[in-house]
Amino acid sequence: MSRKKENKLSFVGKGIERVDADIKLEGKALYGDDLDFAKMLYGVCLRSPYPKARIKKIDFSEAQKDPDFVKLITAKDIPGSNKWPVVNDDYPFLAWDIAEFHSQAVAILVAKNRFKANELSKKVKIEYEELDFIDDIHKSITKKENIFSSYVIKKGDAFNEIKKCKYVIEKEFTTNYQVHCYLEPQVATGVFATDGTLAVYSSTQCPFYVLDAVCAITGLSSNKVKIIQTVTGGGFGGKEDVPALVGAHAALASFITKSPVRICYDREEDFRSMSKRHPSYSKVTYGADENGKLKCCIVKYILDAGAYSTLSPIVLWRGTVHAAGPYSIDNVYVESYAVKTNKVPCGAFRGFGQPQISFAQESLIDDLAEKIGMDPIDFRLKNIIDKNKLTSTSQKIKDSIGLKELIEIVRKKSDWDKRKNLKPSANNKRRGLGCSIAYYGVGLGAKGRYLDRAGAYINIYRDATVNITVGNTEMGQGALTVLTQIAAETLNCPINNIKLDEVDTSKVPDSGPTVASRTTVMSGNAIIEAAKPLRERIFKTALKMLGSKDMIAKDGYFISGSKKIFFNEVIKQCWAERLKMSEQGWYVSPPTTYDLKDGKGDAYIVYSYSANIADVEVDIETGFLEVKKIYSAFDVGKVVNPVLALGQAHGGILQGMSWAVYENLVIEKGVMKNPGFTDYIVATSCDIPEYDVSFVEKDYSEGPYKAKGMGELPLIAVAGAVRNAVKNACGVEMDSVPMIPEKILKKMGRI
Amino acid sequence: MKNYLLKCEINGEKFEGLIDPNMRLIDFLRDEIGLKGTKEGCGEGECGACMVLLDGRAVNSCLVMAFSVSGKEIITIEGIDKTKYGKKLKKSFKKNAAVQCGFCTPGFIITAAAFLEEKPDATEEEIKEALSGNICRCTGYDMIIKAVNEAKK
Ligand code: FES
Ligand code: FES
């Protein structure tokens, strides 16, 4: 049978329009709060007003008098377990004795409509006893029981080597929270049916996490519960673990009241109680020899985890593995900690523990280059990993490393060599360029390898339309479109014939979470697995129909000489021959290893890369920092959809820039001071830099059509590039994110 | 209590009925009329996801009380084709990949539709300015700005 040559792809690599664009443009997409159910009730959480307090008494007699009151649910009403299964299972669904952070859920009030639910919740009197709390990681870390998790990487002998280095540099860095600000707030609806089954409609990245939580809280078995993902209005990690909490609350309320119950957060509640990017502290040391060769790196990295450990152990792990940067260094020592404080628990956010340490380590690399007297780009080029060198976990990366080319692209495009030494202009405005690079381990890596599998189911109907079910989710990033392209390519099926559904946990095997930029690789490969036998049958049938030994399959057509038949005709024939037109696929990631003792191993299956140059202007009178332009180049393997990939790049770059420059969540004594868009500033259309994005496609042999992962990479190193550009512009060495005007002026000694 | 008699026009259709005077316009549209395309992103006038046209002017429906639209004409995303730029905007948003999660999209289209009618020859800078009351957390705005710019042609 003749096969298409790989370089003649019909659908993969094309800028195909989003398959879900129309319903979204017409306002017809059904997000979590858009579904109607008969007799639906509304739930609202009652939350602790103290950073730490003992719950003494709950009195809802006043609320109970209202005819619209339905139920008040507390921990003791939970039929299953009051432990939310995440990593360490330390977070109760509802606080029962002590609430460990301001705004932790203590009870759920259910009423007949959403306005009454809010109104009545104010009439419930909860008596608390305030307790001493900790809000500072440096105080907290002195007590062993406050350390949720900790890792170490030991490669070579960093402490001995540092003494021999000609150039040594050491600095401390801090970064603040970042709030996801997905535009659709958290929402879930529990629908308990008379037959004892429970459906939960959830705005989530990870329906299978919601499933585990709903089963835990209700005590129902997995086959009696199904989680149906609703169209999800943004995630960025903020809908990784916490929708399980929201979904479990809605499920519990529905299970108890035997009615559908919706829980839909308002923005303030979302800010106060949902996960965030961890604030961080780091102390980084680099040492280099007289030739500018990096010889050692020592890192201490601490994340402020908040009151419960949730995803902190794995966020910290990713940060730890990547802490020394994408450099080949023989002597590395990293120690890292996720530490408890009585504040909102932090978790997943695009980059997952990497952006914080990338900011620190890329800043310091720049400062070290300056100390040595080398160009920061030359210094990086001299020390980056390549396929003959080992990462800090001693992994040899065999495949697909485009880092060097990326750096050269941004260097050239930004005119770096000419512009880096610009003389300051006469007025207050100072212009400067700064560089940063990053690598990103695709998928869950060795620490999450048991979850790194995915399933897909393909069903071709008699009318030649195709239904595909996968276990990873669309949250705006374009998964539905990209996966449709991969299926279309493998089956030689027109895009419009294919429909991919939002995830329903009863229809597809547990495919792990939609995180870690893993969906293209994992679900893409699962789709290819399912499509392969179908392809065999379809292609064989087409050859028979063409009466030929040879054909070209292209754009949904099968062509031999002057004969040409369409996909739909072939499918009709397949059905006439009673061929099996549905298949299931299952993909398991290649092996990874990691030894917790010394941090050695092949931590990730493959890495994606970025190089960035920021062009900024600083007003030295006001401290105002404007990012004019960002040049970014990415190696994500084969780009399945260049238009969507560009959209991911822009979005990620802006989120990274917004974190670096504007976003400043204030928590004082455990209480959030700016829980909403009024005082928590995110970048708007007036704040955007000019984007200059390039892709280098280094084939990843295991990837679907040679693709790697994309989603998180664009954000990771933006802050470092901006910081280094600020230094280039006006000489100040920022050590803290966000780089707001006050901090810049302070560093300049102006205030 | 539903005791206020509201008369208005929604997407070209007459509405007349009793409503609760404490109800916000967004809740009236979503819960009473069933037009779910208008989204609530913040409820405090900061994100623009809830934008609708009120006599041709884009307003945040989370900040407007339903009773106050008496005698007025409302256009939501579901009725956007009735405006001069509605169809064009949808087309160019799709073409320019200005939609990702889509939760902000109805708000942006409404804002842009009102703005282009007012200023059909707007520059890119003016478009940026006009869209600055709408938050999009996914796209980085560039493709949205391009889409609006292209729709004016
Ligand atoms: S919901 Fe009205 S402005 Fe955000
Ligand atoms: S597309 Fe998601 S907020 Fe704009």
Side-chain angles (χ1 to χ4, degrees):
Chain A
M1 188 170 76
S2 117
R3 294 196 172 264
K4 285 180 291 177
K5 294 213 181 74
E6 290 296 8
N7 58 0
K8 287 226 183 94
L9 298 171
S10 300
F11 304 104
V12 166
K14 303 273 158 73
I16 282 162
E17 287 171 348
R18 289 187 78 94
V19 297
D20 52 353
D22 286 335
I23 54 161
K24 287 177 172 176
L25 280 161
E26 283 161 16
K28 289 181 186 154
L30 293 172
Y31 296 83
D33 198 26
D34 300 339
L35 305 168
D36 282 325
F37 296 94
K39 303 221 169 95
M40 185 160 69
L41 308 175
Y42 288 85
V44 64
C45 286
L46 306 181
R47 299 180 179 279
S48 164
Y50 302 109
K52 187 168 178 180
R54 174 165 286 119
I55 303 154
K56 306 273 277 187
K57 204 171 134 201
I58 302 180
D59 171 11
F60 57 98
S61 51
E62 201 53 39
Q64 211 173 6
K65 288 180 194 150
D66 194 287
D68 288 332
F69 173 92
V70 177
K71 183 91 192 157
L72 188 96
I73 299 166
T74 64
K76 67 179 192 323
D77 300 310
I78 293 174
S81 149
N82 190 16
K83 280 187 181 161
W84 170 21
V86 192
V87 179
N88 293 337
D89 303 1
D90 58 345
Y91 193 159
F93 288 114
L94 291 171
W96 55 278
D97 175 24
I98 292 173
E100 294 272 358
F101 69 97
H102 182 283
S103 291
Q104 182 173 357
V106 172
I108 305 164
L109 185 138
V110 185
K112 288 194 184 142
N113 67 61
R114 83 172 79 203
F115 309 102
K116 266 301 171 58
N118 278 317
E119 198 185 302
L120 294 177
S121 72
K122 293 188 187 100
K123 293 192 177 159
V124 178
K125 288 187 207 94
I126 307 183
E127 210 180 287
Y128 294 94
E129 174 195 338
E130 279 185 78
L131 301 171
D132 287 344
F133 63 91
I134 331 167
D135 62 351
D136 178 60
I137 46 170
H138 300 289
K139 266 190 214 144
S140 176
I141 202 170
T142 57
K143 288 211 180 104
K144 211 166 162 233
E145 68 268 25
N146 290 339
I147 300 173
F148 286 137
S149 62
S150 137
Y151 302 100
V152 58
I153 292 178
K154 292 181 208 158
K155 181 189 181 194
D157 185 353
F159 292 102
N160 198 25
E161 188 66 26
I162 197 88
K163 294 186 211 137
K164 300 190 221 151
C165 288
K166 171 141 191 232
Y167 301 102
V168 174
I169 196 158
E170 178 179 286
K171 282 181 188 172
E172 293 171 290
F173 298 88
T174 58
T175 61
N176 199 0
Y177 289 91
Q178 188 174 22
V179 184
H180 301 85
C181 301
Y182 33 69
L183 211 58
E184 178 203 32
Q186 302 279 348
V187 53
T189 313
V191 183
F192 187 72
T194 45
D195 64 358
T197 62
L198 179 57
V200 177
Y201 295 80
S202 166
S203 171
T204 178
Q205 297 174 223
C206 305
F208 295 97
Y209 285 3
V210 184
L211 179 68
D212 291 345
V214 170
C215 291
I217 200 170
T218 57
L220 289 170
S221 56
S222 297
N223 62 356
K224 289 207 170 134
V225 175
K226 62 179 167 185
I227 313 301
I228 298 157
Q229 186 214 1
T230 49
V231 176
T232 298
F236 321 116
K239 290 180 184 162
E240 173 170 352
D241 58 338
V242 280
L245 190 61
V246 186
H249 287 161
L252 174 69
S254 178
F255 187 74
I256 289 175
T257 61
K258 309 275 179 267
S259 295
V261 177
R262 161 106 12 108
I263 294 183
C264 181
Y265 284 22
D266 67 20
R267 186 57 65 180
E268 180 177 339
E269 182 177 25
D270 201 297
F271 258 71
R272 288 195 187 278
S273 66
M274 292 286 95
S275 76
K276 311 272 175 284
R277 185 184 307 289
H278 295 76
S280 77
Y281 160 87
S282 54
K283 184 157 131 193
V284 185
T285 314
Y286 277 116
D289 69 11
E290 60 285 359
N291 302 317
K293 175 84 193 79
L294 273 174
K295 297 303 270 185
C296 77
C297 174
I298 301 169
V299 179
K300 182 173 186 181
Y301 183 34
I302 308 175
L303 293 180
D304 184 343
Y308 297 103
S309 67
T310 63
L311 293 169
S312 292
I314 47 175
V315 172
L316 182 70
W317 184 73
R318 177 176 280 280
T320 306
V321 168
H322 293 85
Y327 303 101
S328 161
I329 311 172
D330 288 339
N331 304 282
V332 177
Y333 179 84
V334 182
E335 59 177 81
S336 63
Y337 306 89
V339 177
K340 173 173 176 166
T341 54
N342 293 101
K343 291 182 289 190
V344 61
C346 292
F349 194 140
R350 204 174 195 170
F352 213 71
Q354 273 191 249
Q356 297 98 318
I357 194 66
S358 164
F359 167 70
Q361 119 334 266
E362 280 304 284
S363 297
L364 204 61
I365 284 284
D366 238 61
D367 295 358
L368 179 55
E370 191 181 316
K371 195 165 180 177
I372 302 173
M374 278 178 85
D375 176 284
I377 289 191
D378 291 335
F379 181 57
R380 285 182 171 87
L381 283 170
K382 188 171 182 120
N383 290 292
I384 51 172
I385 38 172
D386 64 37
K387 60 175 184 298
N388 303 311
K389 294 174 187 159
L390 302 179
T391 67
S392 45
T393 67
S394 300
Q395 178 171 5
K396 193 165 182 173
I397 303 169
K398 296 174 216 86
D399 211 7
S400 183
I401 312 180
L403 189 52
K404 185 158 176 275
E405 282 160 80
L406 302 180
I407 297 173
E408 273 153 9
I409 288 173
V410 291
R411 175 179 216 156
K412 191 151 169 249
K413 281 195 155 183
S414 65
D415 209 3
W416 171 272
D417 294 296
K418 248 197 238 138
R419 293 190 54 213
K420 68 176 178 192
N421 294 321
L422 282 182
K423 293 237 159 27
S425 53
N427 62 13
N428 296 330
K429 305 270 171 83
R430 299 281 188 274
R431 200 75 183 251
L433 295 183
C435 172
S436 71
I437 60 175
Y439 68 151
Y440 177 89
V442 176
L444 299 172
K447 194 85 172 96
R449 61 181 175 274
Y450 302 107
L451 292 174
D452 236 351
R453 56 333 194 218
Y457 177 67
I458 304 183
N459 183 20
I460 307 181
Y461 293 90
R462 273 166 42 219
D463 66 359
T465 59
V466 181
N467 191 268
I468 301 179
T469 321
V470 291
N472 291 136
T473 54
E474 168 73 52
M475 58 185 116
Q477 86 281 40
L480 291 180
T481 310
V482 163
L483 296 175
T484 298
Q485 285 174 266
I486 290 171
E489 193 65 56
T490 315
L491 297 169
N492 189 36
C493 167
I495 293 280
N496 290 338
N497 283 35
I498 299 175
K499 185 171 183 317
L500 247 109
D501 287 330
E502 254 81 36
V503 175
D504 173 341
T505 57
S506 67
K507 289 191 180 157
V508 63
D510 187 337
S511 301
T514 303
V515 300
S517 309
R518 67 190 282 273
T519 298
T520 302
V521 171
M522 298 304 297
S523 278
N525 273 328
I527 286 177
I528 292 176
E529 282 304 309
K532 265 192 212 152
L534 293 166
R535 175 188 165 102
E536 259 337 282
R537 282 166 221 145
I538 295 165
F539 278 47
K540 245 187 214 154
T541 308
L543 277 174
K544 250 199 287 173
M545 291 169 76
L546 290 165
S548 163
K549 282 205 173 60
D550 230 346
M551 67 178 180
I552 295 168
K554 200 174 164 348
D555 301 328
Y557 287 94
F558 301 86
I559 307 157
S560 169
S562 59
K563 279 199 221 157
K564 182 173 172 181
I565 45 176
F566 188 48
F567 179 81
N568 292 27
E569 301 165 59
V570 182
I571 296 301
K572 205 169 165 195
Q573 184 60 29
C574 290
W575 271 98
E577 292 179 23
R578 295 188 298 173
L579 296 177
K580 185 182 176 199
M581 284 287 102
S582 64
E583 286 291 348
Q584 186 149 33
W586 184 245
Y587 181 75
V588 178
S589 72
T592 45
T593 57
Y594 193 78
D595 186 344
L596 280 173
K597 197 169 75 267
D598 55 2
K600 259 196 192 45
D602 294 342
Y604 289 93
I605 52 172
V606 71
Y607 295 79
S608 290
Y609 303 88
S610 83
N612 314 275
I613 288 178
D615 177 351
V616 309
E617 188 175 87
V618 183
D619 184 325
I620 56 166
E621 280 301 317
T622 61
F624 186 75
L625 161 60
E626 187 184 345
V627 181
K628 295 273 187 192
K629 188 162 181 174
I630 294 194
Y631 303 86
S632 283
F634 304 110
D635 163 21
V636 295
K638 173 77 186 165
V639 176
V640 180
N641 186 320
V643 177
L644 296 193
L646 191 62
Q648 282 296 293
H650 285 185
I653 291 168
L654 190 66
Q655 262 176 14
M657 188 204 103
S658 191
W659 176 59
V661 180
Y662 300 118
E663 298 182 32
N664 197 23
L665 191 71
V666 180
I667 297 188
E668 274 170 21
K669 297 205 164 69
V671 183
M672 206 177 284
K673 295 294 173 189
N674 50 347
F677 292 144
T678 312
D679 299 312
Y680 181 84
I681 306 302
V682 300
T684 71
S685 53
C686 285
D687 309 314
I688 61 170
E690 196 183 322
Y691 306 98
D692 184 318
V693 175
S694 320
F695 288 98
V696 168
E697 300 183 286
K698 286 280 173 193
D699 288 351
Y700 168 43
S701 53
E702 274 281 325
Y705 296 94
K706 317 253 181 269
K708 299 191 279 192
M710 160 97 215
E712 290 162 279
L713 187 64
L715 185 148
I716 289 172
V718 175
V722 170
R723 181 269 185 195
N724 294 335
V726 170
K727 183 176 75 164
N728 183 241
C730 59
V732 299
E733 296 178 348
M734 299 303 294
D735 52 12
S736 164
V737 158
M739 292 172 264
I740 49 176
E742 294 93 289
K743 286 192 200 163
I744 294 180
L745 289 177
K746 227 185 215 161
K747 273 272 170 197
M748 283 181 178
R750 287 184 174 248
I751 51 171
Chain B
M1 263 256 280
K2 287 190 179 180
N3 56 10
Y4 181 87
L5 181 67
L6 176 68
K7 286 188 199 175
C8 60
E9 202 179 297
I10 305 166
N11 295 334
E13 281 180 36
K14 296 244 178 304
F15 172 85
E16 188 175 334
L18 289 174
I19 62 154
D20 181 340
N22 292 317
M23 190 168 232
R24 302 176 304 169
L25 179 57
I26 186 170
D27 301 317
F28 168 67
L29 292 169
R30 288 178 52 88
D31 300 343
E32 300 288 312
I33 308 296
L35 295 169
K36 306 281 191 185
T38 303
K39 303 296 179 204
E40 178 159 353
C42 70
E44 50 186 26
E46 296 287 347
C47 78
C50 64
M51 288 278 185
V52 300
L53 295 174
L54 199 57
D55 285 345
R57 219 164 43 88
V59 298
N60 286 317
S61 64
C62 72
L63 295 183
V64 174
M65 297 309 284
F67 74 83
S68 74
V69 305
S70 208
K72 300 196 175 171
E73 192 191 326
I74 301 154
I75 298 223
T76 68
I77 186 69
E78 290 89 345
I80 197 72
D81 289 1
K82 296 192 193 317
T83 64
K84 187 162 171 212
Y85 289 96
K87 276 196 187 134
K88 282 189 190 170
L89 279 164
K90 286 199 281 192
K91 213 168 132 199
S92 72
F93 264 61
K94 185 172 174 182
K95 184 167 150 239
N96 287 285
V99 185
Q100 287 190 22
C101 83
F103 202 77
C104 70
T105 309
F108 271 96
I109 301 236
I110 294 276
T111 306
F115 175 66
L116 288 183
E117 275 205 40
E118 190 188 305
K119 225 170 186 326
D121 54 354
T123 62
E124 211 170 290
E125 275 316 302
E126 288 169 325
I127 292 173
K128 274 190 194 175
E129 194 65 43
L131 298 177
S132 66
N134 291 69
I135 293 176
C136 173
R137 193 60 157 168
C138 300
T139 62
Y141 300 103
D142 190 57
M143 292 169 172
I144 298 179
I145 295 160
K146 290 220 167 73
V148 175
N149 204 14
E150 202 176 292
K152 79 187 185 204
K153 283 167 202 152

